[in-house]
Amino acid sequence: MEKRTIILSKRHNEVKVAVLEDNELVEYYAEREDLNNIVGYIFKGRISAIRRELQGIFVDIGGDIDGFLPLSDYHFARKGKEPKVGEEVIVQITKEPYGTKGPRLTMVITIPGRYMVLMPYVQSVGVSKKIEDKRERRRLQSLSRRILPRGMGAIIRTSATGVEQTKLKKEMLTLLKEWRDVQKKFESERAPALLKSEEQLEIKITRDLYIPEFSEIHVDSKDSYNRIIHYLKEKNIPYKGKVFFYKGERHIFENFGVLKSLDKIYRRKVWLKNGGYIVIDQTEAMHVIDVNSGKYSGKKNQEQMIFETNLLAAKEIARQLRLRDIGGIIVIDFIDMTDERNREKLLKRFGEYLKSDRTKVEVIDITGLGLVEVTRERIRRSVSLMFIEPCPVCSGKGTIFSKPYLLSLLESYIEKNRDELVGQSVTCFVHPILLEYIEEKGKERISSSMHGRRIHMKFEPDPSLPYEKIKIVRVFKDRVVEEDL
């Protein structure tokens, strides 16, 4: 397993997490009040409509749009009974609302822990495919069957490798108590009602990604640091020399080189190391990724050059799917190859690169024209939505940087240049729409970024500037410096 570094930053009730593997950014998460991730939440809902032609049920869980529950899920949980309008049900969110669609729901409830995921309505025991040792798989499966209550099942996670029965049983009892609490609330609450929320992002990331032998965590918030340490102590998981409280002056993301990588998340074109590049486009129905040889001509024969470029592209595409959290149908147009063996090698290597993805991914066979169809489960909003929003000028046909992202960009600029800005007069010229957002949401955050230093900063509206541009004019003595963000 690659060395994993988890970088966590918490500012102004906004938590951002960057995951690096071998010092390369592979995953990014952010949670803030206006983009709350509700996947995993359990609700008491009420059936509002039954649509047999869609093989589904609509359930009111208190949101703007009713959730969609597959009819098969209902039949599985209720042992073949038929649903009724007005009936109250326990449901869990498996996918966030997307566009005009409400959240996707299930009645096959899961209660996640560090070593296992308890499944109250499923009797089977599954073991993570990433545990490849057959003896260990059999041990964990046998052990789990002994400790699980009759009629319940579980999924055994990769982190359970080598864990003894005592630890597994202790966690199972904790998860069982959580499930009993959900059942009690179901009996006492009026629908629609929230019965159980997911853990905070810091704990979810620690629970799902931290493996002491391969991981370390760096945190810039004392509150988050203490919460993580408390969780690890409670679970009796080694953490000394693995979890660090960051006290540096620079933003933690800048210190670990994350900001440069984040800057590329929204970009349409991604360059490869050999001068080739990939282009990522989104339509209403799917994502389309095109592979190009670009500047790379290669000293070897043309077929070998194309094969090498396709291999680099396959690795980068696997990373970008995780990093941008792209879901749904993805069509990849690799450069055409005439050698059938090269096509087979490419598909095999692409499958290997995708193994690191924690989200379910399926790859369809490559065609003679180099087209590969991939389906990747869509669970939450694509991370790019944290950075871009529809352009108001072209009626949403294009995208621009989002206002929250631009505010974060300005914060990073101030934190990076704090010492240099002391004693200077700084004027930020921005479009009036962005200025309105900064005045409503950003004053406290910007003041906090200055940390009491003598920096005189003011904002001026400039309608001639593009929506996503920030122009900074700094005056110190007789010297004037202009910069664009």
Side-chain angles (χ1 to χ4, degrees):
M1 181 180 285
E2 301 94 339
K3 177 190 173 186
R4 179 178 291 155
T5 307
I6 301 167
I7 315 297
L8 189 147
S9 176
K10 184 175 182 180
R11 304 283 178 91
H12 316 289
N13 296 320
E14 181 179 66
V15 181
K16 298 177 181 178
V17 178
V19 181
L20 284 68
E21 289 180 357
D22 287 342
N23 296 316
E24 186 173 54
L25 183 66
V26 292
E27 294 180 30
Y28 177 75
Y29 304 90
E31 282 189 1
R32 62 178 193 244
E33 290 180 1
D34 61 332
L35 274 180
N36 194 26
N37 180 11
I38 56 174
V39 171
Y41 281 36
I42 300 175
F43 287 86
K44 179 177 184 177
R46 181 178 284 109
I47 294 177
S48 57
I50 301 166
R51 298 287 298 275
R52 297 192 182 277
E53 73 278 13
L54 299 176
Q55 288 296 296
I57 300 167
F58 287 96
V59 181
D60 175 16
I61 58 171
D64 296 332
I65 308 174
D66 289 353
F68 180 83
L69 172 69
L71 198 56
S72 58
D73 274 27
Y74 178 93
H75 286 151
F76 182 88
R78 291 291 169 93
K79 310 300 181 189
K81 292 181 180 178
E82 290 302 317
K84 299 176 183 180
V85 172
E87 181 182 350
E88 295 176 339
V89 289
I90 295 180
V91 291
Q92 187 170 32
I93 295 181
T94 59
K95 293 181 184 178
E96 287 190 332
Y98 186 78
T100 58
K101 296 180 180 179
R104 181 90 170 193
L105 308 175
T106 184
M107 286 182 68
V108 184
I109 307 297
T110 56
I111 311 291
R114 175 168 176 78
Y115 303 120
M116 67 169 61
V117 179
L118 182 67
M119 304 182 75
Y121 294 127
V122 178
Q123 296 185 29
S124 61
V125 175
V127 179
S128 168
K129 291 180 180 178
K130 292 185 180 180
I131 301 177
E132 296 180 349
D133 185 280
K134 291 182 180 178
R135 289 182 63 183
E136 178 64 5
R137 291 178 66 87
R138 285 196 298 268
R139 181 188 79 88
L140 288 169
Q141 203 159 40
S142 173
L143 191 159
S144 301
R145 286 200 174 101
R146 288 201 301 270
I147 64 175
L148 282 166
R150 181 175 295 180
M152 292 190 183
I155 298 170
I156 308 304
R157 310 183 84 156
T158 311
S159 54
T161 304
V163 174
E164 68 273 14
Q165 178 173 325
T166 308
K167 274 190 179 181
L168 285 178
K169 187 171 183 179
K170 182 181 177 183
E171 178 168 271
M172 186 276 296
L173 291 172
T174 300
L175 299 179
L176 187 60
K177 182 182 181 303
E178 290 181 24
W179 170 237
R180 300 298 187 215
D181 290 342
V182 167
Q183 291 178 306
K184 287 177 185 176
K185 287 187 75 175
F186 179 80
E187 296 299 327
S188 61
E189 298 285 339
R190 291 184 59 186
L194 174 63
L195 303 180
K196 184 181 184 299
S197 58
E198 250 286 20
E199 297 277 12
Q200 292 170 306
L201 183 57
E202 339 39 343
I203 303 304
K204 280 193 292 185
I205 290 295
T206 305
R207 180 190 71 198
D208 296 345
L209 291 177
Y210 175 70
I211 300 173
E213 294 81 3
F214 304 102
S215 311
E216 60 184 38
I217 306 176
H218 298 262
V219 191
D220 69 357
S221 159
K222 195 67 176 177
D223 178 56
S224 295
Y225 173 81
N226 289 336
R227 190 176 291 123
I228 289 169
I229 294 296
H230 180 267
Y231 171 82
L232 294 173
K233 279 183 177 178
E234 189 179 55
K235 298 293 182 183
N236 197 25
I237 300 166
Y239 66 87
K240 290 185 178 178
K242 296 290 184 177
V243 183
F244 306 92
F245 176 52
Y246 176 76
K247 300 178 182 178
E249 282 288 313
R250 295 193 300 171
H251 191 286
I252 190 170
F253 278 7
E254 185 186 351
N255 187 69
F256 284 90
V258 173
L259 289 179
K260 289 181 181 178
S261 299
L262 283 179
D263 184 53
K264 298 174 183 176
I265 284 183
Y266 62 87
R267 295 191 184 278
R268 179 172 175 261
K269 182 185 287 189
V270 180
W271 288 97
L272 305 175
K273 292 177 181 177
N274 69 347
Y277 62 90
I278 62 174
V279 176
I280 304 173
D281 285 314
Q282 182 176 5
T283 69
E284 287 190 18
M286 67 185 74
H287 279 80
V288 179
I289 302 177
D290 188 37
V291 181
N292 297 273
S293 57
K295 302 172 184 176
Y296 180 52
S297 56
K299 296 180 181 178
K300 301 175 184 177
N301 64 64
Q302 188 78 357
E303 177 74 12
Q304 184 63 23
M305 179 272 291
I306 290 172
F307 177 61
E308 289 174 0
T309 302
N310 279 338
L311 279 182
L312 284 172
K315 186 174 183 179
E316 184 60 33
I317 289 167
R319 186 175 83 96
Q320 290 294 329
L321 295 183
R322 290 176 68 190
L323 184 55
R324 302 182 188 217
D325 201 18
I326 295 173
I329 299 172
I330 302 111
V331 174
I332 304 166
D333 186 5
F334 286 103
I335 306 171
D336 297 352
M337 294 180 293
T338 56
D339 191 327
E340 178 66 29
R341 290 171 300 176
N342 283 343
R343 288 202 289 269
E344 291 175 1
K345 286 180 188 175
L346 174 63
L347 202 61
K348 183 180 178 182
R349 292 283 287 277
F350 186 39
E352 290 171 358
Y353 295 141
L354 290 170
K355 283 182 180 178
S356 298
D357 200 327
R358 295 186 299 128
T359 301
K360 185 179 179 182
V361 186
E362 291 185 15
V363 181
I364 313 301
D365 198 11
I366 190 169
T367 69
L369 295 175
L371 292 176
V372 174
E373 184 180 315
V374 177
T375 58
R376 186 173 185 272
E377 192 172 10
R378 182 188 285 118
I379 296 175
R380 62 189 179 115
R381 296 175 180 87
S382 172
V383 74
S384 63
L385 294 179
M386 294 290 297
F387 297 88
I388 60 174
E389 58 188 32
C391 173
V393 175
C394 60
S395 302
K397 293 179 181 177
T399 56
I400 59 172
F401 291 144
S402 68
K403 292 183 282 293
Y405 173 66
L406 289 169
L407 178 57
S408 295
L409 204 64
L410 183 57
E411 284 181 277
S412 298
Y413 170 82
I414 294 169
E415 290 174 359
K416 182 179 180 181
N417 299 281
R418 273 199 304 252
D419 293 336
E420 189 180 345
L421 294 175
V422 171
Q424 296 190 16
S425 174
V426 183
T427 304
C428 297
F429 294 93
V430 296
H431 191 278
I433 291 177
L434 179 57
L435 179 59
E436 183 180 353
Y437 179 82
I438 290 172
E439 288 178 341
E440 287 182 5
K441 307 276 188 179
K443 281 191 173 180
E444 184 182 336
R445 292 173 58 168
I446 290 170
S447 297
S448 175
S449 298
M450 296 179 189
H451 284 298
R453 283 172 166 76
R454 293 185 302 104
I455 301 172
H456 307 288
M457 178 173 284
K458 63 178 181 178
F459 291 85
E460 295 289 345
D462 185 347
S464 66
L465 284 175
Y467 286 86
E468 57 184 350
K469 187 175 182 180
I470 299 175
K471 183 178 181 181
I472 296 176
V473 178
R474 295 192 280 147
V475 180
F476 183 66
K477 295 182 179 179
D478 296 327
R479 191 164 63 96
V480 178
V481 177
E482 292 189 11
E483 298 173 284
D484 291 332
L485 295 187

